[in-house]
Amino acid sequence: AIHVVNPNTFVVVMALYSDAKKSLVVEDTLDEIAAINTLVEAGVAQEPNTAFVDFALAPGQDMFQITPAGHPNCRGDRLMATQVINKLFERRVLGRALSLPTGKNATECLNAASCRDIDDKVCCQAAASCRVDPAGACVDYSAGVGAL
């Protein structure tokens, strides 16, 4: 329907995010969520000017709001936004993007437990619970107001 009004509009379809139990990812349903996302991604691939954006939320870390329940908190939102920026860069909608780790290193960075132990800015900006401060140091990124 969007492309009927304007065929030049670029549409981004976000992946279904994981289930939540309080502020944490429910790991038991990750395979089911991945299967659903694979089907959606295949359908989106057939559409013009449309991209599917997949992302992961870090298990074992506060990734969801408590109220309203089941919605990503600021950490989860930042991870989703980062992947949107990168997808728009890949599809040449944006001219610049963030540097992010790849492969096994991407998972290790996402799940990093201690920001102080990260000395790589690329890894820090990909970590769910970290951010790069103005001085360039990797520091904790809060789960937000009302977090557990």
Side-chain angles (χ1 to χ4, degrees):
I2 293 170
H3 288 135
V4 170
V5 175
N6 184 348
N8 297 317
T9 299
F10 193 85
V11 177
V12 173
V13 177
M14 296 295 295
L16 178 64
Y17 45 78
S18 55
D19 292 329
K21 182 173 184 181
K22 295 195 178 185
S23 66
L24 301 175
V25 169
V26 175
E27 295 184 61
D28 295 346
T29 61
L30 289 177
D31 289 341
E32 183 180 350
I33 300 292
I36 292 168
N37 285 334
T38 298
L39 293 172
V40 172
E41 183 175 20
V44 167
Q46 306 304 313
E47 297 296 323
N49 290 335
T50 305
F52 180 78
V53 177
D54 202 0
F55 60 93
L57 299 177
Q61 298 184 36
D62 291 330
M63 290 284 110
F64 291 94
Q65 299 176 33
I66 302 303
T67 305
H71 293 280
N73 62 19
C74 55
R75 289 177 176 174
D77 289 344
R78 186 175 61 86
L79 294 172
M80 293 187 317
T82 298
Q83 293 307 318
V84 168
I85 289 168
N86 282 340
K87 182 60 73 170
L88 293 174
F89 176 73
E90 285 174 16
R91 297 293 295 272
R92 301 181 191 273
V93 175
L94 294 178
R96 297 175 71 182
L98 300 170
S99 294
L100 293 175
T102 58
K104 181 182 173 190
N105 196 26
T107 302
E108 290 173 2
C109 292
L110 172 70
N111 298 323
S114 173
C115 302
R116 288 186 300 262
D117 295 337
I118 300 173
D119 57 2
D120 177 18
K121 287 182 190 178
V122 171
C123 184
C124 183
Q125 67 187 16
S129 62
C130 306
R131 66 179 178 84
V132 178
D133 76 2
C138 190
V139 298
D140 291 339
Y141 185 66
S142 168
V145 176
L148 292 177

Short mmCIF file of all heavy atoms in Angstrom, two decimals, residues 98-135:
data_model
loop_
_atom_site.label_atom_id
_atom_site.label_comp_id
_atom_site.label_asym_id
_atom_site.label_seq_id
_atom_site.Cartn_x
_atom_site.Cartn_y
_atom_site.Cartn_z
N LEU A 98 27.81 3.05 11.01
CA LEU A 98 28.71 2.73 12.11
C LEU A 98 29.59 1.54 11.74
O LEU A 98 29.15 0.65 11.01
CB LEU A 98 27.91 2.38 13.36
CG LEU A 98 26.98 3.46 13.89
CD1 LEU A 98 26.08 2.88 14.98
CD2 LEU A 98 27.79 4.61 14.44
N SER A 99 30.79 1.51 12.25
CA SER A 99 31.62 0.32 12.12
C SER A 99 31.15 -0.67 13.17
O SER A 99 30.99 -0.31 14.34
CB SER A 99 33.09 0.65 12.36
OG SER A 99 33.58 1.49 11.36
N LEU A 100 30.92 -1.90 12.76
CA LEU A 100 30.48 -2.93 13.70
C LEU A 100 31.30 -4.20 13.51
O LEU A 100 31.75 -4.49 12.40
CB LEU A 100 29.00 -3.25 13.48
CG LEU A 100 28.02 -2.14 13.83
CD1 LEU A 100 26.61 -2.54 13.46
CD2 LEU A 100 28.10 -1.79 15.31
N PRO A 101 31.50 -4.95 14.60
CA PRO A 101 32.23 -6.20 14.48
C PRO A 101 31.43 -7.22 13.68
O PRO A 101 30.20 -7.09 13.55
CB PRO A 101 32.40 -6.65 15.94
CG PRO A 101 31.31 -5.97 16.68
CD PRO A 101 31.04 -4.69 15.95
N THR A 102 32.11 -8.23 13.16
CA THR A 102 31.44 -9.25 12.37
C THR A 102 31.75 -10.63 12.94
O THR A 102 32.66 -10.81 13.74
CB THR A 102 31.88 -9.20 10.90
OG1 THR A 102 33.30 -9.37 10.84
CG2 THR A 102 31.50 -7.89 10.25
N GLY A 103 30.97 -11.62 12.49
CA GLY A 103 31.21 -13.01 12.86
C GLY A 103 31.13 -13.26 14.35
O GLY A 103 30.30 -12.68 15.06
N LYS A 104 32.00 -14.13 14.83
CA LYS A 104 32.02 -14.52 16.25
C LYS A 104 32.25 -13.31 17.14
O LYS A 104 31.68 -13.20 18.23
CB LYS A 104 33.12 -15.57 16.47
CG LYS A 104 33.22 -16.06 17.88
CD LYS A 104 34.35 -17.06 18.03
CE LYS A 104 34.55 -17.42 19.48
NZ LYS A 104 35.76 -18.19 19.70
N ASN A 105 33.08 -12.38 16.70
CA ASN A 105 33.37 -11.18 17.47
C ASN A 105 32.10 -10.35 17.69
O ASN A 105 31.94 -9.74 18.74
CB ASN A 105 34.45 -10.36 16.78
CG ASN A 105 35.07 -9.33 17.70
OD1 ASN A 105 35.08 -9.48 18.92
ND2 ASN A 105 35.58 -8.27 17.12
N ALA A 106 31.18 -10.34 16.74
CA ALA A 106 29.94 -9.59 16.89
C ALA A 106 29.12 -10.12 18.06
O ALA A 106 28.59 -9.35 18.87
CB ALA A 106 29.12 -9.65 15.60
N THR A 107 29.03 -11.43 18.19
CA THR A 107 28.29 -12.04 19.29
C THR A 107 28.98 -11.78 20.62
O THR A 107 28.33 -11.45 21.62
CB THR A 107 28.13 -13.55 19.06
OG1 THR A 107 27.46 -13.76 17.83
CG2 THR A 107 27.33 -14.21 20.18
N GLU A 108 30.29 -11.90 20.64
CA GLU A 108 31.04 -11.64 21.87
C GLU A 108 30.87 -10.19 22.31
O GLU A 108 30.69 -9.92 23.50
CB GLU A 108 32.52 -11.97 21.68
CG GLU A 108 32.80 -13.44 21.54
CD GLU A 108 34.25 -13.75 21.17
OE1 GLU A 108 35.06 -12.81 21.05
OE2 GLU A 108 34.55 -14.93 20.99
N CYS A 109 30.90 -9.27 21.38
CA CYS A 109 30.73 -7.85 21.72
C CYS A 109 29.31 -7.59 22.22
O CYS A 109 29.13 -6.92 23.24
CB CYS A 109 31.05 -6.97 20.53
SG CYS A 109 32.78 -6.98 20.05
N LEU A 110 28.30 -8.12 21.52
CA LEU A 110 26.91 -7.92 21.92
C LEU A 110 26.70 -8.35 23.36
O LEU A 110 26.04 -7.68 24.13
CB LEU A 110 25.98 -8.71 20.99
CG LEU A 110 24.51 -8.76 21.41
CD1 LEU A 110 23.86 -7.40 21.22
CD2 LEU A 110 23.77 -9.83 20.62
N ASN A 111 27.27 -9.48 23.74
CA ASN A 111 27.03 -10.09 25.05
C ASN A 111 28.05 -9.68 26.10
O ASN A 111 28.02 -10.22 27.21
CB ASN A 111 27.01 -11.61 24.92
CG ASN A 111 25.89 -12.08 24.02
OD1 ASN A 111 24.81 -11.51 24.01
ND2 ASN A 111 26.15 -13.11 23.26
N ALA A 112 28.93 -8.76 25.81
CA ALA A 112 29.98 -8.37 26.76
C ALA A 112 29.38 -7.98 28.10
O ALA A 112 28.43 -7.20 28.17
CB ALA A 112 30.80 -7.21 26.20
N ALA A 113 29.94 -8.54 29.17
CA ALA A 113 29.42 -8.30 30.52
C ALA A 113 30.07 -7.09 31.19
O ALA A 113 29.47 -6.45 32.04
CB ALA A 113 29.59 -9.54 31.38
N SER A 114 31.31 -6.80 30.83
CA SER A 114 32.03 -5.71 31.48
C SER A 114 32.52 -4.71 30.44
O SER A 114 33.40 -5.02 29.63
CB SER A 114 33.22 -6.26 32.26
OG SER A 114 34.01 -5.20 32.76
N CYS A 115 31.97 -3.51 30.49
CA CYS A 115 32.36 -2.48 29.54
C CYS A 115 33.80 -2.03 29.75
O CYS A 115 34.51 -1.71 28.79
CB CYS A 115 31.43 -1.28 29.65
SG CYS A 115 29.70 -1.71 29.36
N ARG A 116 34.25 -2.01 30.99
CA ARG A 116 35.62 -1.57 31.30
C ARG A 116 36.67 -2.45 30.64
O ARG A 116 37.79 -2.02 30.41
CB ARG A 116 35.83 -1.54 32.81
CG ARG A 116 35.10 -0.41 33.50
CD ARG A 116 35.48 -0.36 34.97
NE ARG A 116 35.12 -1.61 35.63
CZ ARG A 116 34.01 -1.80 36.34
NH1 ARG A 116 33.18 -0.81 36.51
NH2 ARG A 116 33.76 -2.96 36.90
N ASP A 117 36.31 -3.71 30.35
CA ASP A 117 37.26 -4.64 29.75
C ASP A 117 37.35 -4.51 28.22
O ASP A 117 38.17 -5.15 27.59
CB ASP A 117 36.91 -6.08 30.11
CG ASP A 117 37.04 -6.35 31.60
OD1 ASP A 117 37.80 -5.61 32.28
OD2 ASP A 117 36.40 -7.29 32.09
N ILE A 118 36.48 -3.69 27.65
CA ILE A 118 36.47 -3.50 26.19
C ILE A 118 37.34 -2.30 25.84
O ILE A 118 37.09 -1.19 26.28
CB ILE A 118 35.03 -3.28 25.66
CG1 ILE A 118 34.16 -4.48 25.99
CG2 ILE A 118 35.06 -3.01 24.17
CD1 ILE A 118 32.69 -4.27 25.64
N ASP A 119 38.38 -2.53 25.04
CA ASP A 119 39.25 -1.42 24.65
C ASP A 119 39.10 -1.07 23.17
O ASP A 119 39.79 -0.21 22.66
CB ASP A 119 40.71 -1.73 24.99
CG ASP A 119 41.21 -3.00 24.33
OD1 ASP A 119 40.45 -3.64 23.58
OD2 ASP A 119 42.37 -3.37 24.59
N ASP A 120 38.16 -1.71 22.49
CA ASP A 120 37.92 -1.49 21.07
C ASP A 120 36.60 -0.73 20.91
O ASP A 120 35.54 -1.21 21.31
CB ASP A 120 37.86 -2.85 20.36
CG ASP A 120 37.53 -2.75 18.90
OD1 ASP A 120 37.68 -1.67 18.31
OD2 ASP A 120 37.11 -3.78 18.32
N LYS A 121 36.64 0.47 20.34
CA LYS A 121 35.43 1.28 20.19
C LYS A 121 34.37 0.60 19.33
O LYS A 121 33.18 0.73 19.58
CB LYS A 121 35.78 2.64 19.59
CG LYS A 121 36.48 3.56 20.53
CD LYS A 121 36.75 4.90 19.88
CE LYS A 121 37.66 5.76 20.74
NZ LYS A 121 37.97 7.03 20.10
N VAL A 122 34.81 -0.13 18.31
CA VAL A 122 33.87 -0.83 17.44
C VAL A 122 33.09 -1.87 18.25
O VAL A 122 31.87 -1.98 18.15
CB VAL A 122 34.60 -1.48 16.24
CG1 VAL A 122 33.67 -2.38 15.45
CG2 VAL A 122 35.18 -0.39 15.35
N CYS A 123 33.79 -2.62 19.08
CA CYS A 123 33.14 -3.62 19.93
C CYS A 123 32.24 -2.93 20.95
O CYS A 123 31.12 -3.38 21.20
CB CYS A 123 34.19 -4.48 20.62
SG CYS A 123 33.51 -5.83 21.61
N CYS A 124 32.69 -1.85 21.53
CA CYS A 124 31.92 -1.13 22.54
C CYS A 124 30.59 -0.66 21.99
O CYS A 124 29.55 -0.83 22.63
CB CYS A 124 32.73 0.04 23.08
SG CYS A 124 31.88 0.93 24.41
N GLN A 125 30.58 -0.06 20.80
CA GLN A 125 29.32 0.46 20.28
C GLN A 125 28.37 -0.65 19.84
O GLN A 125 27.19 -0.42 19.64
CB GLN A 125 29.53 1.48 19.17
CG GLN A 125 30.12 0.98 17.91
CD GLN A 125 30.44 2.14 16.96
OE1 GLN A 125 30.49 3.31 17.34
NE2 GLN A 125 30.68 1.82 15.72
N ALA A 126 28.85 -1.89 19.76
CA ALA A 126 27.99 -3.03 19.44
C ALA A 126 27.52 -3.77 20.69
O ALA A 126 26.64 -4.61 20.61
CB ALA A 126 28.74 -4.00 18.53
N ALA A 127 28.11 -3.46 21.84
CA ALA A 127 27.75 -4.13 23.08
C ALA A 127 26.40 -3.63 23.58
O ALA A 127 26.14 -2.43 23.60
CB ALA A 127 28.83 -3.90 24.13
N ALA A 128 25.55 -4.54 24.02
CA ALA A 128 24.20 -4.18 24.45
C ALA A 128 24.20 -3.26 25.66
O ALA A 128 23.36 -2.37 25.76
CB ALA A 128 23.40 -5.45 24.76
N SER A 129 25.13 -3.46 26.57
CA SER A 129 25.09 -2.69 27.81
C SER A 129 26.20 -1.65 27.92
O SER A 129 26.51 -1.18 29.01
CB SER A 129 25.15 -3.64 29.01
OG SER A 129 26.37 -4.36 28.99
N CYS A 130 26.80 -1.29 26.78
CA CYS A 130 27.92 -0.33 26.80
C CYS A 130 27.69 0.79 25.79
O CYS A 130 26.89 0.66 24.88
CB CYS A 130 29.23 -1.04 26.44
SG CYS A 130 29.62 -2.47 27.46
N ARG A 131 28.47 1.85 25.97
CA ARG A 131 28.47 2.95 25.01
C ARG A 131 29.85 3.60 25.05
O ARG A 131 30.59 3.45 26.02
CB ARG A 131 27.40 3.99 25.32
CG ARG A 131 27.63 4.73 26.62
CD ARG A 131 26.56 5.78 26.88
NE ARG A 131 26.78 6.44 28.15
CZ ARG A 131 27.60 7.47 28.35
NH1 ARG A 131 28.29 7.98 27.34
NH2 ARG A 131 27.73 8.01 29.54
N VAL A 132 30.19 4.32 23.99
CA VAL A 132 31.45 5.05 23.94
C VAL A 132 31.15 6.46 24.47
O VAL A 132 30.29 7.16 23.94
CB VAL A 132 32.01 5.12 22.50
CG1 VAL A 132 33.29 5.93 22.46
CG2 VAL A 132 32.21 3.72 21.94
N ASP A 133 31.87 6.86 25.53
CA ASP A 133 31.64 8.19 26.09
C ASP A 133 32.39 9.24 25.28
O ASP A 133 33.18 8.90 24.39
CB ASP A 133 31.98 8.23 27.59
CG ASP A 133 33.47 8.27 27.89
OD1 ASP A 133 34.31 8.29 26.97
OD2 ASP A 133 33.80 8.27 29.09
N PRO A 134 32.16 10.53 25.54
CA PRO A 134 32.81 11.59 24.76
C PRO A 134 34.34 11.53 24.76
O PRO A 134 34.97 11.99 23.81
CB PRO A 134 32.31 12.88 25.41
CG PRO A 134 31.00 12.52 26.00
CD PRO A 134 31.17 11.10 26.48
N ALA A 135 34.92 10.96 25.80
CA ALA A 135 36.38 10.84 25.87
C ALA A 135 36.89 9.61 25.13
O ALA A 135 38.10 9.40 25.03
CB ALA A 135 36.83 10.79 27.33
#
